[in-house]
Amino acid sequence: MKKYFKFDEYGTNYRKETMAGLTTFLAMAYILFVNPNVLSLADIEDLPAGMTRMDPGAIFTATALAAAVGTLIMGLVARYPIALAPGMGLNAFFAYTVVLGFGIPWETALAGVLASGLIFIVLTVTGVRERVINAIPNNLKLAVGAGIGLFIAFIGFTNVGIIEADPATFVTLGNLSDPRTLLAIFGVFVTVILLVRGFKGGVFYGMIITAIAGMLVGLIDPPSGVNGVVGSVPSLEPTFGAAITHFSEIFTIEMLIVILTFLFVDFFDTAGTLVAVATQGGMMKNGKLPRANRALFSDSAATVAGSVFGTSTTTSFIESTTGVSAGGRTGFASIVTAVLFLLALFFSPLLSVVTPEVTAPALIIVGILMASNLRNIEWDQFEIAVPAFLTVIAMPLTYSIATGIAVGFIFYPLTMLLKGRGKEIHPIMYGLLVIFVLYFVFLTE
């Protein structure tokens, strides 16, 4: 096992990898509860006539299984400490745009997710996805990693009310006297102290201490009794196989747009996440991602499996960086995370202590760690500084990783051409320039 995952090469061991897998799981466990609420349109009391609601229990089970299968494949095949689960943003697009907006039945929408996953497998097997990722200049890869860091830190700040919306200034400082906000701030301070003092598992320990503190002051309800710890696994029957039985319904112009959107967002969100995690963990070699095709195949296979189970697009989670910061360097960490997702099916009540106040400090601290990529960008070359800065700043400001990537990829070829450095640009980058321009054209129509 140690030889297969190359523990000695990466300077790791079972303890580090296990803690990393557990840390990643805790950082992304929220998806088990958020995804069912989003996909079932739980916040919409009255659905339009004739529209049915997805079963929340089935979605919970599908979410856990999709995460477990995808993460296990990533760990065993690609050997990266990267976890997968149904992606935030893609699930909102599925529920609010495709189902609620377009009026497309959720069964047909799941078939669209299945189609996008199958297309991704073809693109991966043929090497197209890996060639695209390797064609991205290193400066842009660094900018993507730093931009995602700012983005997830922003999510952490807003999830607990440290930053909130304001009609005059768009965002402003939140109510810092709110007990839950104070608990999150406490978690940030604790985690900072642990990391400054050299605790390699500081992010994980910070989450544990924050959760315990929350229970002690009555902000987090501790599990009690057998029924508060162990629960039955909800049936998968209401959603299982719907993507297959409704596959013939995807051959319409409207569904083509839906499938292309699934492809676009997942393609570049996944690319950004893989690059960010690999860069933070020191796994990049000569600016390229080793075994990229295997990682991309894992992502594609997870989307196919997840759609059959009954959930939206499964993708690589940026929260994997919390595990990397805890010392994870190999796929063994992913195996640990996958096992925990399976166990979560039986012990879901225990996850009630992993509230936003517990995960927000981890997201904020990881954002700080990822922002360190900024120091390696060639800021003294203005033709590089412009697209790099726009990539970084656009992600949190537009609340979209994909949009940040698109903006940077449009400006990079243009500024390099204006500088007379067009020969240094890979032809694929010119193709991406055209695609992203068309994306914004259609987006604004």
Side-chain angles (χ1 to χ4, degrees), residues 123-211:
L123 294 177
T124 301
V125 171
T126 56
V128 173
R129 290 183 79 181
E130 183 175 8
R131 284 197 294 272
V132 170
I133 291 177
N134 288 335
I136 301 172
N138 192 50
N139 281 289
L140 279 186
K141 289 176 180 177
L142 293 170
V144 167
I148 292 176
L150 295 185
F151 178 69
I152 64 172
F154 183 64
I155 292 175
F157 283 124
T158 56
N159 278 354
V160 292
I162 297 176
I163 292 176
E164 59 185 26
D166 184 89
T169 60
F170 294 103
V171 291
T172 188
L173 193 64
N175 179 15
L176 300 187
S177 63
D178 183 280
R180 296 191 176 277
T181 303
L182 286 173
L183 177 61
I185 294 174
F186 166 80
V188 172
F189 274 106
V190 168
T191 308
V192 167
I193 292 171
L194 291 172
L195 290 174
V196 169
R197 296 300 299 172
F199 285 83
K200 298 217 172 164
V203 174
F204 168 70
Y205 292 127
M207 294 173 69
I208 295 297
I209 293 172
T210 304

Side-chain angles (χ1 to χ4, degrees), residues 293-305:
N293 232 29
R294 294 186 181 187
L296 294 170
F297 173 79
S298 303
D299 184 87
S300 308
T303 292
V304 171

Side-chain angles (χ1 to χ4, degrees), residues 50 79 166 198 224 246 286 382 408:
R79 290 178 291 174
D166 184 89
S224 59
H246 290 77
N286 300 319
F382 196 66

Side-chain angles (χ1 to χ4, degrees), residues 81-429:
I82 297 174
L84 296 89
M88 292 296 294
L90 283 163
N91 58 1
F93 173 75
F94 180 104
Y96 293 96
T97 301
V98 179
V99 176
L100 193 61
F102 295 165
I104 295 174
W106 59 264
E107 296 92 340
T108 306
L110 284 177
V113 175
L114 174 59
S116 70
L118 293 173
I119 293 172
F120 264 145
I121 289 179
V122 173
L123 294 177
T124 301
V125 171
T126 56
V128 173
R129 290 183 79 181
E130 183 175 8
R131 284 197 294 272
V132 170
I133 291 177
N134 288 335
I136 301 172
N138 192 50
N139 281 289
L140 279 186
K141 289 176 180 177
L142 293 170
V144 167
I148 292 176
L150 295 185
F151 178 69
I152 64 172
F154 183 64
I155 292 175
F157 283 124
T158 56
N159 278 354
V160 292
I162 297 176
I163 292 176
E164 59 185 26
D166 184 89
T169 60
F170 294 103
V171 291
T172 188
L173 193 64
N175 179 15
L176 300 187
S177 63
D178 183 280
R180 296 191 176 277
T181 303
L182 286 173
L183 177 61
I185 294 174
F186 166 80
V188 172
F189 274 106
V190 168
T191 308
V192 167
I193 292 171
L194 291 172
L195 290 174
V196 169
R197 296 300 299 172
F199 285 83
K200 298 217 172 164
V203 174
F204 168 70
Y205 292 127
M207 294 173 69
I208 295 297
I209 293 172
T210 304
I212 293 173
M215 287 186 278
L216 290 175
V217 299
L219 293 176
I220 298 176
D221 295 327
S224 59
V226 176
N227 292 332
V229 175
V230 181
S232 60
V233 180
S235 172
L236 197 64
E237 184 179 357
T239 59
F240 185 79
I244 298 174
T245 57
H246 290 77
F247 197 79
S248 61
E249 300 171 9
I250 68 171
F251 301 102
T252 65
I253 297 298
E254 195 171 43
M255 279 304 298
L256 176 61
I257 295 173
V258 169
I259 293 170
L260 288 176
T261 303
F262 283 141
L263 283 167
F264 173 82
V265 178
D266 187 33
F267 191 107
F268 292 101
D269 275 4
T270 297
T273 299
L274 291 176
V275 169
V277 175
T279 300
Q280 183 181 340
M283 295 172 243
M284 298 290 286
K285 294 184 179 179
N286 300 319
K288 293 185 178 182
L289 181 67
R291 306 184 305 281
N293 232 29
R294 294 186 181 187
L296 294 170
F297 173 79
S298 303
D299 184 87
S300 308
T303 292
V304 171
S307 65
V308 175
F309 291 142
T311 185
S312 54
T313 305
T314 303
T315 186
S316 301
F317 256 56
I318 194 60
E319 283 84 353
S320 302
T321 51
T322 61
V324 172
S325 70
R329 292 296 181 272
T330 75
F332 189 83
S334 294
I335 293 176
V336 172
T337 305
V339 171
L340 290 172
F341 268 113
L342 290 176
L343 291 176
L345 288 167
F346 303 96
F347 298 93
S348 57
L350 285 175
L351 298 177
S352 62
V353 302
V354 187
T355 65
E357 294 78 28
V358 175
T359 58
L363 295 177
I364 294 168
I365 296 301
V366 169
I368 295 172
L369 296 173
M370 293 180 66
S372 64
N373 289 330
L374 292 169
R375 72 180 183 275
N376 297 318
I377 296 175
E378 299 173 286
W379 294 108
D380 57 332
Q381 300 180 41
F382 196 66
E383 65 274 18
I384 290 175
V386 170
F389 174 79
L390 293 176
T391 298
V392 172
I393 199 67
M395 288 186 189
L397 292 186
T398 63
Y399 214 77
S400 169
I401 293 173
T403 299
I405 293 173
V407 172
F409 281 36
I410 288 174
F411 273 88
Y412 185 86
L414 295 178
T415 55
M416 292 291 282
L417 281 171
L418 290 171
K419 187 65 175 179
R421 300 174 61 181
K423 291 183 180 179
E424 299 178 29
I425 305 173
H426 195 286
I428 289 178
M429 291 298 295

